[in-house]
Amino acid sequence: MRILILHGPNLNLLGRREPGIYGHETLADIETRVRAAAEDTGCDVEFFQANAEHALVERIQQAMEDGTDGIVINPAAFTHTSVAIRDALAAVALPFVEVHLSNPDAREPFRQTSLLADLAAGRVSGFGGTSYILGLQGLCSLIGPAASE
Ligand code: DQA
């Protein structure tokens, strides 16, 4: 199983960006941990980060053609604003999990709306970089070989 892990805008600044909210781990640190955890899931992972909405939409569209079986996405601020990312995920019709480092439901009101949530197979929030690992494990157990046994 091939899982695409997408990071939205400003997540390239992790480690330096509001560490009281997002922690001290860098994106590279998180990806190292996710790669290690992926070994136990039987899923291969590929990562992509973009600050631009169109780049994320294009990478999601590409997932239709490149053998991707599922997506773990932290859409970051686009969670709350992007009809385009929602439509791209609906178009490719691959199972996806929405993840967040913080718990947006415990933050400002504008973060308490997700334009993706009702399409997601599941959501994981509030566990820092571990949210990605929990999301990956959940997605792989949903779509992996064990799911059809
Ligand atoms: C975030 C939460 C979003 O509200 C915010 O815009 C982000 C990061 C998180 O991982 O906690 O950039 O998705």
Side-chain angles (χ1 to χ4, degrees):
M1 292 284 153
R2 290 180 56 174
I3 306 298
L4 175 64
I5 302 192
L6 294 174
H7 313 285
N10 300 305
L11 295 174
N12 55 312
L13 296 179
L14 286 181
R16 288 185 290 158
R17 174 193 180 200
E18 298 182 273
I21 297 173
Y22 299 116
H24 292 278
E25 268 189 313
T26 65
L27 201 56
D29 294 335
I30 291 172
E31 290 184 355
T32 300
R33 283 210 293 136
V34 172
R35 231 180 256 292
E39 285 175 20
D40 293 330
T41 65
C43 285
D44 290 328
V45 288
E46 182 189 327
F47 300 96
F48 180 80
Q49 189 275 332
N51 292 323
E53 189 176 32
H54 75 90
L56 290 163
V57 167
E58 281 168 13
R59 188 61 191 87
I60 292 166
Q61 289 184 9
Q62 200 184 314
M64 246 174 153
E65 321 291 343
D66 69 4
T68 296
D69 297 298
I71 296 173
V72 172
I73 182 167
N74 182 349
F78 291 143
T79 308
H80 320 298
T81 63
S82 181
V83 176
I85 289 175
R86 176 193 171 86
D87 286 351
L89 288 164
V92 303
L94 290 168
F96 76 89
V97 175
E98 178 186 331
V99 302
H100 300 280
L101 300 145
S102 67
N103 177 5
D105 288 327
R107 299 180 61 193
E108 303 96 320
F110 67 86
R111 293 186 205 277
Q112 294 172 20
T113 300
S114 164
L115 298 190
L116 312 183
D118 61 306
L119 299 181
R123 302 173 79 201
V124 183
S125 301
F127 300 103
T130 302
S131 292
Y132 285 89
I133 293 173
L134 297 172
L136 176 70
Q137 289 170 340
L139 185 58
C140 292
S141 67
L142 205 61
I143 66 175
S148 51
E149 277 168 13

